[in-house]
């Protein structure tokens, strides 16, 4: 039965790869909605994938969220990241400190003996602050490194779950409702066709920057995230998906 399960996953991986035109899909058994340890397994798979890519010095940009926090948590100390640089992909997005990109980025760099730069910016930023803060030398240096990322690792969330978790203002929630937002990634909210409904104003990577980056890895699992994953990948901005059985089976059913 174990091998049958593995073969089943291989078929599922193939189907998802073709549907969303991805370079790689990795599925881990279980459903992280019902079994929290599955999120740790997702994290482990993401760590192995990242380590397989770090044969030369690389710049790795990471987002926040509980899935990315699981990646950092599951990383065993190694020196594979020596010479590599870790940066947060974008400024804070209203997350608790343990789920912020800065925290995750520093933990990953420390565990892998890499270097890191952080972004200290308030969020969300007013238009005025945005324009002055990007001129600050310290921020400018980090932004420059972010734009040169070789690898990006990010989560994908359900739009309303994320907006509520980040305590979005009423007008933002209304905007998301009228725009029929389904998914969230990088502080961008998308509808079911992958069109942008709303964007949190903060510094760092912008969605269009992803097209210049060689490896963009999405880490998202759980049956409840299937619609969000599908919505995000409708406009295909990432080329690797690391997910779980719960999300993968629901995704296939949806198609
Ligand atoms: O940035 C957050 C992600 O979009 C989703 O967060 O991994 O906690 O579900 P999560």
């Amino acid at each position: 039965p174990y091998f049958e399960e593995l073969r089943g996953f291989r078929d599922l991986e193939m189907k998802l790869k073709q549907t969303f035109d991805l370079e790689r899909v990795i599925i881990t058994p279980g459903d992280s909605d019902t079994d929290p340890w599955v999120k740790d397994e997702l994290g482990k798979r993401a760590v192995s994938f990242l380590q397989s890519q770090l044969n030369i010095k690389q710049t790795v940009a990471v987002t926040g969220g509980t899935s990315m926090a699981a990646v950092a948590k599951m990383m065993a100390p190694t020196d594979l990241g020596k010479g590599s640089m870790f940066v947060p992909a974008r400024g804070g997005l209203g997350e608790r400190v343990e789920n912020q990109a800065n925290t995750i980025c520093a933990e990953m760099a420390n565990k892998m003996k890499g270097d890191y730069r952080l972004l200290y910016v308030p969020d969300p930023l007013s238009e005025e602050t945005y324009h002055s803060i990007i001129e600050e030398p310290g921020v400018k240096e980090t932004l420059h490194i972010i734009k040169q990322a070789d690898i990006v690792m990010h989560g994908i969330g359900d739009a309303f779950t994320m907006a509520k978790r980040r305590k979005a203002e009423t007008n933002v929630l209304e905007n998301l409702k009228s725009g029929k937002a389904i998914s969230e990634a990088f502080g961008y909210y998308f509808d079911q066709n992958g069109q942008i409904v709303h964007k949190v104003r903060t510094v760092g990577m912008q969605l269009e920057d992803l097209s210049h980056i060689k490896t963009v890895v999405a880490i998202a699992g759980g049956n409840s995230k299937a619609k969000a994953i599908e919505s995000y990948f409708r406009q295909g901005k990432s080329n690797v998906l690391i997910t779980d059985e719960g999300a993968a089976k629901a995704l296939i059913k949806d198609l």
Side-chain angles (χ1 to χ4, degrees):
Y2 178 71
F3 288 108
E4 260 168 44
E5 192 174 63
L6 278 187
R7 203 176 53 218
F9 286 170
R10 220 167 293 145
D11 290 347
L12 258 180
E13 285 170 355
M14 208 43 138
K15 252 183 222 158
L16 289 178
K17 220 170 116 172
Q18 284 164 352
T19 309
F20 298 115
D21 192 22
L22 301 175
E23 275 172 37
R24 183 91 193 270
V25 174
I26 297 169
I27 300 173
T28 195
D31 185 336
S32 45
D33 282 348
T34 44
D35 296 304
W37 54 266
V38 177
K39 199 173 263 188
D40 288 349
E41 287 303 312
L42 266 187
K44 252 194 223 164
R45 301 297 293 268
V47 170
S48 315
F49 180 80
L50 174 66
Q51 291 179 345
S52 72
Q53 305 290 308
L54 285 182
N55 39 7
I56 46 165
K57 291 177 189 173
Q58 306 264 22
T59 298
V60 184
V62 301
T63 70
T66 57
S67 311
M68 283 304 302
V71 180
K73 176 184 157 197
M74 298 316 287
M75 204 170 250
T78 156
D79 56 8
L80 278 173
K82 236 181 202 164
S84 288
M85 173 65 88
F86 292 79
V87 284
R90 299 189 83 203
L93 298 166
E95 295 271 16
R96 295 166 63 88
V97 74
E98 59 272 32
N99 291 336
Q100 280 173 17
N102 269 347
T103 312
I104 293 166
C105 158
E107 186 178 348
M108 286 173 70
N110 284 334
K111 284 192 172 171
M112 297 192 82
K113 305 219 169 39
D115 200 357
Y116 66 82
R117 295 286 184 281
L118 302 179
L119 272 174
Y120 294 108
V121 290
D123 64 277
L125 286 169
S126 69
E127 179 91 45
E128 209 186 335
T129 317
Y130 175 85
H131 288 292
S132 56
I133 221 160
I134 57 173
E135 295 306 325
E136 287 294 329
V139 175
K140 232 181 176 167
E141 189 215 345
T142 308
L143 292 179
H144 182 70
I145 299 171
I146 292 172
K147 301 270 171 183
Q148 293 174 335
D150 302 292
I151 302 170
V152 176
M153 300 182 89
H154 69 93
I156 300 173
D158 165 76
F160 288 92
T161 308
M162 292 313 299
K164 281 177 203 146
R165 190 166 95 193
R166 292 171 177 165
K167 303 195 172 45
E169 287 180 18
T170 321
N171 64 326
V172 172
L173 285 172
E174 274 161 14
N175 190 4
L176 296 179
K177 212 178 271 172
S178 62
K180 296 197 174 68
I182 302 282
S183 64
E184 183 280 342
F186 299 96
Y188 285 78
Y189 290 84
F190 307 93
D191 67 12
Q192 65 169 356
N193 299 315
Q195 302 293 341
I196 301 170
V197 173
H198 174 75
K199 167 185 173 186
V200 180
R201 192 189 294 117
T202 189
V203 299
M205 200 163 271
Q206 309 300 312
L207 205 58
E208 54 274 18
D209 296 329
L210 294 182
S211 56
H212 313 295
I213 297 167
K214 201 175 67 202
T215 311
V216 185
V217 191
I219 297 116
N223 181 288
S224 64
K225 272 194 189 177
K227 287 241 172 341
I229 296 172
E230 188 183 345
S231 140
Y232 173 78
F233 277 107
R234 281 286 163 223
Q235 300 286 325
K237 293 145 206 99
S238 305
N239 46 14
V240 179
L241 169 64
I242 302 180
T243 189
D244 63 20
E245 187 184 353
K249 287 191 170 157
L251 264 169
I252 292 296
K253 224 183 269 164
D254 258 21
L255 300 170

